[in-house]
Amino acid sequence: MRSDAVTKGMQQAPHRSLFHALGLTEEEMNRPLIGIVSSYNEIVPGHMNLDKIVEAVKTGVAMAGGTPIVFPAIAVCDGIAMGHIGMKYSLVTRDLIADSTEAMAMAHQFDALVMVPNCDKNVPGLLMAAARVNIPTVFVSGGPMLAGRVKGQKRSLSSMFEAVGSYAAGTMTEEDVTEFENKVCPTCGSCSGMYTANSMNCLTEALGMGLGGNGTIPAVYSERIRLAKKAGMQVMEMLRKNIRPRDIMTEKAFMNALTVDMALGCSTNSMLHLPAIAHEAGVDLNVDIANEVSERTPNLCHLAPAGPTYMEDLNEAGGVYAVMKELSKKDLLNLDCLTVTGKNVGENIASCVNKNPEVIRPVENPYSATGGIAILKGNLAPDSGVVKRSAVAPEMLVHEGPARVFDCEEDAIEAIKGGQIVAGDVVVIRYEGPKGGPGMREMLNPTSAIAGMGLGSSVALITDGRFSGASRGASIGHVSPEAAVGGPIALVEEGDLIKINIPENRLDVDLSNEELARRRAKWQPREPKVTTGYLARYASMVTSGNRGAILEIQKH
């Protein structure tokens, strides 16, 4: 056992004295030490119930013969951080979470880990740490929020942001907005649509790192407590069998995750997180392969914001395993991949059924023959851009319009709410990438304002930043190279014709190579927006969005 380094032998007597100070008995020290990484806090609605999940995990670990020991991980609520300087601190926490969890796990020589995350950067950050530390690890999230109900209709956080846009357009009263405000987020849990948190929790199942139901059982269901106990017991079984994250998170497993991503219509943020997790697992996952996967993968789900169904509906329909069972009918998954259950994917989904073909379309009758996410390239995005194709209005799949150029999110929002953006426009928001932001802010406020103003099917938005999973419409993010390093998005001028062709995976500006070269010769790098603290260090080390915005030590 790894923990022998801190619990066994005369040399470890000082270590044991500190365990005694913790109140541990000799019997507890003689059992495997299981670290439980708790993301509990009182500022994130998806995390306010994690104390109960952690207690259930502890019970499961103890029942199976281990000694559970809890330590924390941080988490940012993207909704609360949205639209101000706080959003610069969202993506950057992914690496803080991975680094601090690695430090705690290695410093204290835990034998195994149970990760208890829920919201956006918390899940990928802990998956990165799991791959890095590579000791037996199980994930159990806090679960999704139930949908709200306003005027007889199910609603979610994206409805709330769009309500603000509707108020600005004069189509909703202050009283209407207040009703939304009080009803759209009715319970604890990760927000109820297929946003980033729920996307990543579902993909944790697809990767094989979470038990069935991890992504979809609502936070307020007692079934979630039972799942947590099972996770605590299962990590002990993994320890006995020495099943480790890198045994599970193989190249084939990541292909499964990409395939499920396309079928579910996950957040575009998965195109940042999957490559970063794969990098830690020693797997090279180039986002370019996403279009190849998309071409053969039908889109089976239209969860909010793409459609009127929510995580609770997906759960009732059979959850992620039922989606995977549909995909397996066309041999789209690697069924021999090992999972935390100790069984392979095929064994896990063998008895699953699709209980609601309106929520999970049968593979023979998909929403579309191709997947929910598309990677775009062209002279405006030589490396890549990303769009949630399943949430784009059909009339916007091919679009041409004049560029309306803004060098930060705030200026764009002011123009949108001020009525300066009209049908046909292409809003370009730049210098918001990983380096330029820094931190690659999400653009939920401008996309929601566009939708709320009634322009969702006539205005596109392009950025080197990123979008929330709650964004819908022709929202193209992760444009790489970003403006801060001189990418073509930095060269676009007001009125330039932007050409979007999502079926052909193209994103171009109607300029000749000669004109782009002339503008590039005149372009000058901008002074960094932040020069001190963690953001400055992050900006100096972060790579581009098409590489997952991973951190690299700069070579001299």
Side-chain angles (χ1 to χ4, degrees):
M1 288 290 171
R2 279 163 50 101
S3 60
D4 288 355
V6 293
T7 60
K8 300 290 191 299
M10 184 55 65
Q11 285 294 114
Q12 280 64 44
H15 305 72
R16 288 194 298 275
S17 72
L18 294 167
F19 281 115
H20 286 308
L22 289 168
L24 265 62
T25 64
E26 186 176 333
E27 291 81 2
E28 287 174 300
M29 281 186 266
N30 286 332
R31 294 177 175 182
L33 301 185
I34 311 301
I36 301 174
V37 187
S38 171
S39 304
Y40 169 78
N41 63 47
E42 295 183 343
I43 187 64
V44 184
H47 292 224
M48 62 184 282
N49 66 318
L50 294 191
D51 54 340
K52 296 175 178 61
I53 303 296
V54 167
E55 286 303 314
V57 172
K58 289 173 69 176
T59 298
V61 168
M63 286 167 61
T67 297
I69 301 175
V70 180
F71 65 88
I74 64 167
V76 162
C77 177
D78 276 20
I80 295 174
M82 195 71 65
H84 55 88
I85 191 173
M87 183 44 69
K88 294 179 186 288
Y89 285 89
S90 172
L91 178 61
V92 304
T93 64
R94 188 184 69 182
D95 295 275
L96 284 176
I97 292 161
D99 292 349
S100 59
T101 302
E102 173 198 359
M104 290 293 287
M106 297 303 293
H108 302 104
Q109 289 295 285
F110 288 105
D111 296 304
L113 298 170
V114 181
M115 306 293 199
V116 187
N118 210 19
C119 291
D120 297 21
K121 310 313 164 298
N122 205 239
V123 184
L126 291 180
L127 281 165
M128 290 163 66
R132 203 183 288 177
V133 176
N134 201 34
I135 58 178
T137 303
V138 177
F139 276 68
V140 57
S141 79
M145 185 183 289
L146 294 179
R149 283 168 174 78
V150 184
K151 301 186 191 313
Q153 289 186 307
K154 285 187 177 181
R155 298 291 189 178
S156 63
L157 184 65
S158 53
S159 310
M160 184 70 253
F161 277 89
E162 290 178 16
V164 175
S166 298
Y167 176 75
T171 58
M172 191 175 280
T173 67
E174 186 174 347
E175 289 75 19
D176 290 331
V177 174
T178 300
E179 184 177 5
F180 270 74
E181 181 182 329
N182 283 293
K183 293 182 177 178
V184 295
C185 296
T187 72
C188 61
S190 48
C191 296
S192 55
M194 188 53 79
Y195 310 145
T196 305
N198 292 326
S199 295
M200 293 311 302
N201 280 321
C202 288
L203 295 182
T204 300
E205 281 190 59
L207 270 174
M209 290 297 293
L211 299 175
N214 178 64
T216 60
I217 298 170
V220 295
Y221 284 12
S222 296
E223 185 182 357
R224 173 67 56 181
I225 301 295
R226 298 198 298 273
L227 183 75
K229 291 176 181 176
K230 289 176 182 176
M233 291 186 279
Q234 189 57 35
V235 81
M236 297 302 296
E237 184 66 18
M238 292 178 67
L239 182 59
R240 281 188 281 273
K241 293 179 178 177
N242 195 30
I243 299 173
R244 301 174 180 234
R246 291 195 182 194
D247 300 326
I248 295 170
M249 290 193 281
T250 62
E251 185 174 355
K252 285 184 176 181
F254 280 102
M255 294 306 293
N256 281 350
L258 269 178
T259 302
V260 173
D261 187 321
M262 296 298 173
L264 286 173
C266 288
S267 163
T268 52
N269 281 313
S270 62
M271 293 298 104
L272 277 178
H273 299 323
L274 286 175
I277 299 160
H279 175 74
E280 297 292 349
V283 174
D284 182 18
L285 187 67
N286 191 316
V287 293
D288 289 353
I289 202 169
N291 285 338
E292 182 184 321
V293 175
S294 181
E295 282 303 309
R296 61 174 181 261
T297 307
N299 177 227
L300 305 182
C301 299
H302 267 191
L303 295 149
T309 54
Y310 294 82
M311 295 305 296
E312 62 201 63
D313 303 310
L314 179 59
N315 187 63
E316 295 301 318
V320 176
Y321 277 10
V323 175
M324 295 174 76
K325 185 63 178 285
E326 289 289 348
L327 294 171
S328 72
K329 294 176 183 176
K330 287 201 170 183
D331 298 322
L332 293 170
L333 295 176
N334 299 293
L335 299 181
D336 58 348
C337 289
L338 181 65
T339 72
V340 293
T341 65
K343 300 175 182 177
N344 64 31
V345 170
E347 292 171 309
N348 286 345
I349 67 174
S351 61
C352 294
V353 294
N354 180 355
K355 299 174 184 176
N356 190 339
E358 296 300 312
V359 176
I360 303 171
R361 287 281 186 92
V363 75
E364 304 83 11
N365 181 35
Y367 281 101
S368 63
T370 54
I373 287 178
I375 304 298
L376 311 183
K377 288 195 174 187
N379 69 353
L380 187 52
D383 290 340
S384 69
V386 182
V387 64
K388 189 170 183 174
R389 174 163 48 189
S390 59
V392 178
E395 56 268 37
M396 290 297 290
L397 289 170
V398 178
H399 179 76
E400 293 185 8
R404 305 298 308 280
V405 183
F406 304 94
D407 287 349
C408 68
E409 177 189 7
E410 288 82 357
D411 290 350
I413 292 170
E414 184 178 344
I416 294 164
K417 291 186 175 178
Q420 298 172 37
I421 303 302
V422 299
D425 284 349
V426 179
V427 176
V428 177
I429 305 178
R430 61 192 180 189
Y431 294 99
E432 290 284 8
K435 283 186 180 294
M440 205 177 186
R441 287 196 288 181
E442 286 185 345
M443 302 292 159
L444 179 56
N445 273 345
T447 59
S448 298
I450 286 169
M453 298 283 283
L455 298 170
S457 59
S458 60
V459 168
L461 196 154
I462 297 170
T463 182
D464 53 7
R466 59 196 179 91
F467 294 107
S468 165
S471 293
R472 62 187 175 99
S475 303
I476 301 166
H478 307 195
V479 170
S480 302
E482 62 174 292
V485 298
I489 192 171
L491 311 178
V492 175
E493 296 177 0
E494 187 80 7
D496 286 345
L497 185 66
I498 305 293
K499 296 182 175 184
I500 299 166
N501 192 321
I502 295 173
E504 294 184 6
N505 303 313
R506 296 290 306 180
L507 178 61
D508 295 283
V509 56
D510 189 21
L511 297 173
S512 67
N513 291 338
E514 291 75 16
E515 175 61 16
L516 284 170
R518 185 187 69 79
R519 294 185 186 182
R520 184 169 289 109
K522 291 167 53 180
W523 178 81
Q524 293 292 323
R526 299 193 171 197
E527 289 296 316
K529 294 178 185 175
V530 180
T531 57
T532 60
Y534 177 58
L535 286 180
R537 295 199 302 276
Y538 180 89
S540 72
M541 298 172 69
V542 71
T543 60
S544 66
N546 70 304
R547 294 185 58 197
I550 61 173
L551 300 187
E552 282 188 344
I553 298 171
Q554 302 300 308
K555 297 179 175 64
H556 297 289

